[in-house]
Amino acid sequence: MYATQNIIDTLKGARVANGLSQRALSRRTGVPQSHVSKIENGGADIRLSSLIELARALDLDLRLIPRRAVPAVDGVMRSMTPSIAATPVVRDLNRILDVVRDLRIAYPDLGELKEIQESFQVLKTLRNVDREAEALRNTGRLIRKLQRSCRKLAGTGRGDAEQTEAVRNAAGIPSEQRHALRGAARALQDLRNKLLDAAPPLPSLPRPAYRLDDDEDG
Amino acid sequence: MYATQNIIDTLKGARVANGLSQRALSRRTGVPQSHVSKIENGGADIRLSSLIELARALDLDLRLIPRRAVPAVDGVMRSMTPSIAATPVVRDLNRILDVVRDLRIAYPDLGELKEIQESFQVLKTLRNVDREAEALRNTGRLIRKLQRSCRKLAGTGRGDAEQTEAVRNAAGIPSEQRHALRGAARALQDLRNKLLDAAPPLPSLPRPAYRLDDDEDG
DNA sequence: TATCTCGATATGTTATACTATATCTTTCTA
DNA sequence: TAGAAAGATATAGTATAACATATCGAGATA
């Protein structure tokens, strides 16, 4: 229920990046929309066959990779990604994402973090993030500030494990910062939608004219 | 129940290549040996969390890869694999494996094919297959011969789908060829064991001296 | 305001993964 | 020939994925 989240996140990211609604994906795969929702929210420990079916519908391939080969594979993936690979912006974006992930462990019930993570996840897959360096930098600053006060709250900066164990609710966050966080989440979502509109939803689907026929979506 | 087989095969291949028995893997993961057996035989549609748990115990990482990136990733994997990558022998081996897979669909109850496939699967992961080019070539010839008579039996060489539908039992195979097949299966297993003995069981496990303590195995 | 889409959630049912435990066969070895 | 080890298989109980269907609130749009 932990390492699984990576896979699930990727799945969701791919769905959104493809411009598919849960219902559209449901129609493609036969999996009920309600179940898609449950899966994406971590409410279901999906089976291998279902995972593969969903992945296939999203043009993804499931692979088991020897640990030794992981760095190399990651390198290739970065250079193949529709986005800009090693751009400073993307690098930044990944760093922020790491912090967000940590924070989400410390504050599991802080919904804004989840939204922010999801936005980042999608932004990473877009080829025109580069133009929004400024906006992303701002969010990054906010996140890091939050991380600092999280550390402070956790007491006298001990090991990571104890830290995340120490602060387990959102109550400790100053309402001022909480407000800023909320704003950032909204801003990121807007940014994401803007870029999603501007960017073609990935040129990868092996289906004819999927935006023209209304087989998909509403 | 089809694309899943690839993952399951990889899992099993990794277990064997690591020299782990089903019970040893069971001890590592907490999954009962009976269940490991069921999984490896396609008798269970494993859950994501279980898959990841087993994979982790075998030093594998589960990834969703965009289809566009698959060829590149495969390339990297080939060049990273402990074995010899693009050696003619390995290429041959893969070709034979494809044929075996097809045959297994045509003759699901022909156990020898399964054994042969498994041996090949392991052989592919060994770095010293190259020396056994001759033996493998012989098996390859046998397999291809079997494929030819399979085609003949299937009637007047129609499409693949009809073909596999047409011949659905092992009865059609001449006992002479069946005997040769059995011999090949045995020979391949011997070969596999020989090479497994000669080759270090993969230098990848991040555990201290796993062959010295009897934490593992019997 | 009325409508539409999207995602989250609820309920009841069925299928099956997973567990614990045990038995059986085959193969290898002392 | 006896015993160990590996893998396949069986039984019974529990947990839960997956299904069908329906509803609800939030946003967007007319």
Side-chain angles (χ1 to χ4, degrees), chain A residues 54-72:
Chain A
L54 288 173
R56 219 187 22 157
L58 295 169
D59 230 37
L60 296 168
D61 213 45
L62 191 69
R63 293 290 175 109
L64 282 170
I65 312 230
R67 248 196 223 316
R68 277 175 314 104
V70 163

Side-chain angles (χ1 to χ4, degrees), chain B residues 5 8 11 31 34-44 46 54:
Chain B
Q5 204 53 38
I8 298 301
L11 226 44
V31 175
S34 61
H35 202 224
V36 173
S37 170
K38 211 171 182 184
I39 290 167
E40 289 188 349
N41 289 306
I46 197 176
L54 288 173

